[in-house]
Amino acid sequence: MEASDREQYLEALLAAPRPGTDKVLAFYDQRVGRICTDGRLLFVPLDDHLCHRGDGLFESICCRGRRVFALPAHLARLREGAAALAITPPCPWEELRERILDVARAGGRDHCDVRVFLSRGPGGFGISPAECPAAGLYIVALASHLPTEEYYRKGLTAFTSAIPPKQEYLARIKNTNYLPNVFMAAEAREKGMDVAVTFDEEGRMGEAAIANIGIVDAEGRLRSPEIRRILPGTTLLAALRLAAERMPVLEGPIHRDEIAHAREMLLFTSATLCVAVTHFDGRAVGEGENRGRPGPVALWLKDALLEHMLATGTPY
């Protein structure tokens, strides 16, 4: 095969298949310094350590009603991760915040998802961060579909994952090395179920592939695993604050055996807020008329979180 010149290559590149570009509403690349609305031009350099080493961070942010949910919390977590990985953003943090709002606005939708990637940056194919003279910053607005009421009324099925929880020093960093999470998603698909949940060697609950998990225990307390051992999800943290106004809230170890006696099992994500897990390891969760069905806390928190996120969200 003969080598192409610049124009020939660019023409072939733009004609190449790009599944998913129809979901890209707008994106920003710090190196270029512009926002683009043509998803075919969304590229990341292969020598960015984000690609071949997983050396980078990301945030998944939900936007509804032209408001960015929990933006200060997402930025705070990104800053903590950047400090842990010693990545210095290529622009001031306030400018990064404004670029997120700019990209969401350029997407032109009332509802969308935003992904923020802060990478080690391009510079080589080795492992040393010293190869990369400057960090990379990529922001993408994606088309999204709001969850339906039927989705919440049905709830989710979950099971014990064969994948162990992440080590504590990695669990709290939302880094782009998500291979264990990919394995968990594959597990769920193979089993025909919705959610895989990790447990450590002592049977203590971790988290799902892209979500936090909690329970309403037999005493009516909303409980989550120890935050130091899991990713501190922005939706989970908001849910714990809201729930504390009307019920006991407890952060600490949750053993797998406790699920059998729990009143409810809950899943928290930015996109779906709070969803009931109605069956775990093939058994219905809950008691009485709510057994195997979404319970009152799940249904209340779903609405309470939406109201809270809309009231406190950052407008764009």
Side-chain angles (χ1 to χ4, degrees), residues 1 4 16 35 41 48 52-53 75 94 103 135 137 161 229 247 272 291 308 311 315:
M1 180 180 296
S4 302
I35 294 174
L41 298 175
D48 191 320
H52 62 84
R53 300 297 174 188
L75 286 172
E94 183 57 31
V103 172
L137 173 63
S161 175
R229 296 176 61 89
M247 63 191 299
T272 59
R291 185 170 179 80
H308 169 74

Side-chain angles (χ1 to χ4, degrees), residues 80-281:
E80 290 178 5
L85 295 184
I87 294 178
T88 301
C91 65
W93 284 102
E94 183 57 31
E95 181 179 328
L96 195 158
R97 174 188 181 277
E98 292 305 313
R99 293 297 82 78
I100 292 173
L101 297 175
D102 290 341
V103 172
R105 190 180 306 116
R109 301 281 183 91
D110 290 348
H111 315 300
C112 68
D113 292 328
V114 172
R115 299 288 187 271
V116 181
F117 298 89
L118 180 59
S119 75
R120 185 68 64 186
F125 290 94
I127 197 169
S128 172
E131 282 190 332
C132 310
L137 173 63
Y138 313 96
I139 305 170
V140 188
L142 299 167
S144 65
H145 299 285
L146 299 182
T148 64
E149 283 301 315
E150 180 182 358
Y151 172 79
Y152 289 108
R153 288 196 301 268
K154 180 181 178 182
L156 304 172
T157 57
F159 63 95
T160 299
S161 175
I163 307 302
K166 294 179 182 178
Q167 295 163 298
E168 188 174 318
Y169 77 97
L170 285 176
R172 291 177 55 85
I173 302 174
K174 198 172 179 70
N175 66 83
T176 53
N177 188 347
Y178 251 44
L179 195 55
N181 309 63
V182 172
F183 287 149
M184 292 169 68
E187 273 187 308
R189 183 173 182 177
E190 290 170 4
K191 292 178 179 292
M193 302 179 75
D194 298 312
V195 181
V197 182
T198 61
F199 292 85
D200 67 14
E201 62 280 358
E202 296 180 11
R204 294 175 297 192
M205 180 189 292
E207 54 197 339
I210 55 171
N212 291 121
I213 301 288
I215 65 169
V216 179
D217 67 13
E219 299 176 40
R221 302 174 297 181
L222 177 59
R223 294 171 55 192
S224 80
E226 297 173 272
I227 299 299
R228 67 181 180 84
R229 296 176 61 89
I230 60 174
L231 184 73
T234 56
T235 304
L236 170 65
L237 297 178
L240 295 177
R241 291 194 298 269
L242 289 173
E245 299 175 3
R246 59 186 290 172
M247 63 191 299
V249 171
L250 179 65
E251 175 195 326
I254 300 173
H255 197 275
R256 182 170 45 238
D257 294 344
E258 294 183 76
I259 297 172
H261 307 289
R263 296 182 186 180
E264 300 182 46
M265 188 173 184
L266 312 173
L267 178 139
F268 301 96
T269 73
S270 294
T272 59
L273 302 176
C274 178
V275 189
V277 175
T278 60
H279 293 77
F280 179 75
D281 279 346

Side-chain angles (χ1 to χ4, degrees), residues 59-71:
E59 287 291 323
S60 298
I61 306 175
C62 181
C63 303
R64 295 196 195 180
R66 300 192 74 83
R67 290 180 177 271
V68 180
F69 285 1
L71 182 56

